[in-house]
Amino acid sequence: MIVGNRGRNPLFARAFSGPNDGKVSVARAAVPGMQDHLVVPCGHTFIMHASEVVEQAFHFLLHGAFARPPFTDHTQ
């Protein structure tokens, strides 16, 4: 599971009690049986456009786990 923690709309972000991507809280993104969980500094809408998210997804498909070290934020 890859989930973001940077919602762009502060109104939506206030609807959550913890880290969230503006649509889904990090805590609610976890599902039983998932192999790995990665929190990245992205919002919900464009998370799939982040090149490092794509790289992490391919790494997971090849190795069964996400690559580490942590994600680099290119959005700022």
Side-chain angles (χ1 to χ4, degrees):
M1 178 71 61
I2 300 176
V3 62
N5 65 0
R6 297 265 174 94
R8 296 277 184 218
N9 187 328
L11 180 63
F12 292 149
R14 284 187 284 202
F16 300 95
S17 62
N20 65 83
D21 66 3
K23 304 268 189 213
V24 178
S25 72
V26 170
R28 298 280 292 173
V31 295
M34 66 182 178
Q35 297 295 313
D36 202 353
H37 189 227
L38 185 65
V39 179
V40 297
C42 293
H44 185 87
T45 304
F46 299 109
I47 193 170
M48 76 292 271
H49 295 294
S51 61
E52 292 184 54
V53 168
V54 174
E55 290 171 19
Q56 290 283 356
F58 278 113
H59 190 277
F60 182 88
L61 291 172
L62 291 171
H63 304 284
F66 295 115
R68 303 294 193 267
F71 191 94
T72 304
D73 186 0
H74 295 290
T75 62
Q76 297 189 19

